[in-house]
Amino acid sequence: MSGLRYALWGVLPYAVLVLFAAGTVWRFRHDRFGVTTRSSQLHESRLLSVGGPLFHYGLLFVIAGHVIGLVVPERVTEDLRVPESLYRANALLVGGVAGAATVAGLAVLVARRLRVRAVRRASDRTDRALYPILATVLLAGLAATLLAPAGDYDYRLGVSVWFRSVFLLHPNVGAISGAPLLYQAHALLGLALFALWPFSRLVHAFAAPVAYPFRAYVVYRSRNVRRRPFA
Ligand code: HEM
């Protein structure tokens, strides 16, 4: 096995995981109040209200698809008697629609960032690195999904095996280095995105107000209300 393949698929994922974890801790400790989207809604809200939901709701389905496709071994769906043809049709339909929605949402957000002067001026160096990587990750993933029916590659027997092996601390380099280049490029760009994550606006994912619907009510009382005498 060549040194390059081992470096890319056996060493790089761990370097990225360490950078991701350490970078996130560093960001929370040194830039506690910078862990935000750096929202530009005050500059422009119409395009944001279209691109934002399209991108984020699409991404939720993309993430769900990755959990199923990468984490659940193929033999589990076989044991559950899910026909391979049904699995693939579902991946193509749901993955295709979710991926296309995410790409369309990102296109609106990028166009807004480039064309609306105030939003462009509110962008920084990390945005200039982030958006091209994000766009190419999405496009490569979507292309892999849409082109899948034209080939006979089963990513669940290759890319997914490598993905799980990384977390089992025994990276199966051969499982991914034999994958079509499009899949390898997609996974590498994904790793680049995770490396940049803590240092970019993506860190706001950790500040999502998930506890909001479950928190206790905040009770507001007017200062001017005269106290009623006790009965
Ligand atoms: C190392 C990390 C990643 C791996 C191993 C991976 C792997 C895959 C695989 C195997 C597919 C399916 C292709 C098919 O259906 O044939 C896919 C599709 C896709 N990926 Fe990834 N991916 C990774 C990270 C990401 C990230 C970070 C994003 C976006 C931010 C992303 C976005 C997509 C999209 C949009 C698709 C199209 C299908 C869908 O909507 O799920 N991927 N990816």
Side-chain angles (χ1 to χ4, degrees):
M1 179 193 313
S2 82
L4 178 65
R5 281 194 286 169
Y6 188 74
L8 285 183
W9 306 115
V11 178
L12 187 66
Y14 295 106
V16 170
L17 281 172
V18 169
L19 191 61
F20 183 84
T24 304
V25 171
W26 171 83
R27 186 81 189 259
F28 269 85
R29 293 180 83 161
H30 293 276
D31 187 22
R32 184 72 188 86
F33 297 104
V35 180
T36 79
T37 53
R38 288 190 283 110
S39 173
S40 54
Q41 190 179 10
L42 278 176
H43 300 309
E44 196 281 340
S45 63
R46 197 176 54 85
L47 289 172
L48 184 64
S49 71
V50 176
L54 207 52
F55 175 77
H56 285 93
Y57 286 119
L59 200 58
L60 281 182
F61 283 91
V62 169
I63 292 169
H66 279 69
V67 172
I68 297 169
L70 297 179
V71 179
V72 180
E74 189 165 291
R75 86 184 114 72
V76 173
T77 48
E78 277 170 8
D79 289 349
L80 292 172
R81 307 233 182 284
V82 179
E84 182 62 15
S85 55
L86 178 66
Y87 183 94
R88 287 190 182 222
N90 186 53
L92 181 63
L93 187 68
V94 181
V97 171
T102 314
V103 168
L106 186 68
V108 174
L109 295 176
V110 170
R112 168 182 178 272
R113 195 156 282 279
L114 292 174
R115 297 181 68 128
V116 180
R117 194 158 167 260
V119 180
R120 194 170 64 240
R121 293 182 65 167
S123 310
D124 68 8
R125 270 186 310 163
T126 59
D127 292 322
R128 282 191 278 280
L130 171 66
Y131 284 102
I133 296 179
L134 189 52
T136 38
V137 175
L138 292 176
L139 288 173
L142 186 59
T145 295
L146 298 181
L147 294 175
D152 59 358
Y153 179 68
D154 184 351
Y155 75 84
R156 292 202 292 161
L157 298 179
V159 178
S160 308
V161 172
W162 163 78
F163 184 82
R164 290 194 297 275
S165 74
V166 168
F167 292 94
L168 296 172
L169 304 183
H170 194 16
N172 187 338
V173 173
I176 188 159
S177 55
L181 281 181
L182 190 54
Y183 287 83
Q184 296 194 39
H186 176 64
L188 273 180
L189 287 160
L191 290 178
L193 194 69
F194 286 119
L196 188 63
W197 196 290
F199 313 102
S200 71
R201 67 173 66 237
L202 292 183
V203 76
H204 78 268
F206 297 122
V210 277
Y212 183 79
F214 313 106
R215 70 161 169 72
Y217 290 114
V218 176
V219 181
Y220 289 96
R221 291 197 179 91
S222 163
R223 282 188 187 182
N224 299 327
V225 174
R226 283 220 197 110
R227 275 210 179 156
R228 274 197 251 147
F230 292 108

